[in-house]
C-alpha cells in the first residue's frame, strides 16, 4: 500500500452494477480515506437502475457515475484491484495486488428483482467493510 491514501479499483465486465456498487459503498464506508475507482472490461451504456436504487435505500448516492472502460493506467496506479465476478478478465501487473470476489447470485436460487439486488448489495457491502478494515 502507498504511504498516502490507498487506491482501490473495482472492476466488473459492464461497470453498471457490482463494481459501481462496491465503489459507492467504499466511498461511503471509508469516509474519504481511500481513493476509489470503478471500471469495466466491456462497459455498458448505463448504470443498473436496481443497483442505484438499492444504494439509495442506504442513503448512498452514486452521483454522476457512469460506466467507463478500464485502462492500464487505472490498474498501474492501484494498490489493489478487485474484480467482481468471473466474467471480467484483467491482465495482472507486477506490484499490484489483485482479488477476485465471486459474489452471491440470488437469481440462481430463483430470487429476482429488488430482493435479489438487496442480497447482492449486502454481500458486496460485507466484503467492502472487510477490505476497508484491511487497508
Amino acid at each position: 500500500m502507498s504511504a498516502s491514501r490507498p487506491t482501490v479499483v473495482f472492476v466488473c465486465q459492464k461497470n453498471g452494477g457490482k463494481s459501481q456498487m462496491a465503489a459507492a459503498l467504499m466511498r461511503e464506508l471509508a469516509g474519504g480515506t481511500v481513493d476509489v475507482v470503478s471500471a469495466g472490461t466491456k462497459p455498458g451504456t448505463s448504470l443498473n437502475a436496481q443497483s442505484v436504487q438499492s444504494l439509495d435505500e442506504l442513503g448512498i448516492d452514486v452521483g454522476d457515475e457512469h460506466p467507463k472502460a478500464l485502462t492500464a493506467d487505472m490498474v498501474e496506479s492501484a494498490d489493489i484491484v478487485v474484480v467482481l465476478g468471473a466474467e471480467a478478465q484483467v491482465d495482472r501487473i507486477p506490484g499490484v495486488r489483485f482479488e477476485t470476489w465471486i459474489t452471491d447470485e440470488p437469481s440462481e436460487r430463483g430470487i429476482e428483482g429488488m430482493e435479489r439486488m438487496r442480497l447482492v448489495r449486502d454481500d458486496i457491502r460485507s466484503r467492502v467493510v472487510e477490505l476497508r478494515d484491511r487497508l
Side-chain angles (χ1 to χ4, degrees):
M1 300 292 153
S2 60
S4 60
R5 297 184 336 179
T7 299
V8 179
V9 178
F10 292 102
V11 180
C12 67
Q13 191 170 42
K14 294 182 183 177
N15 191 227
K18 292 179 181 179
S19 58
Q20 290 281 354
M21 188 179 288
L25 287 161
M26 181 62 85
R27 285 186 196 101
E28 179 74 16
L29 295 167
T33 62
V34 176
D35 289 329
V36 181
V37 177
S38 73
T41 56
K42 296 178 183 175
T45 58
S46 62
L47 298 184
N48 179 302
Q50 288 183 337
S51 178
V52 172
Q53 183 181 345
S54 75
L55 290 168
D56 189 55
E57 291 176 352
L58 299 179
I60 299 173
D61 182 7
V62 297
D64 62 353
E65 284 294 325
H66 59 280
K68 55 197 146 307
L70 181 67
T71 66
D73 287 344
M74 288 175 184
V75 176
E76 290 168 4
S77 68
D79 292 292
I80 184 166
V81 174
V82 178
V83 180
L84 288 97
E87 294 89 19
Q89 300 299 310
V90 181
D91 292 333
R92 306 299 200 235
I93 294 178
V96 177
R97 200 167 90 216
F98 285 81
E99 292 183 11
T100 299
W101 294 354
I102 304 299
T103 56
D104 181 32
E105 188 41 71
S107 64
E108 293 174 357
R109 300 186 304 276
I111 302 170
E112 298 293 340
M114 280 307 296
E115 182 181 3
R116 172 192 171 268
M117 194 56 65
R118 288 180 190 111
L119 290 168
V120 170
R121 175 201 65 202
D122 293 347
D123 178 32
I124 292 172
R125 184 181 189 284
S126 69
R127 294 167 189 261
V128 167
V129 167
E130 192 272 331
L131 176 59
R132 178 206 59 196
D133 292 348
R134 283 190 281 132
L135 295 173

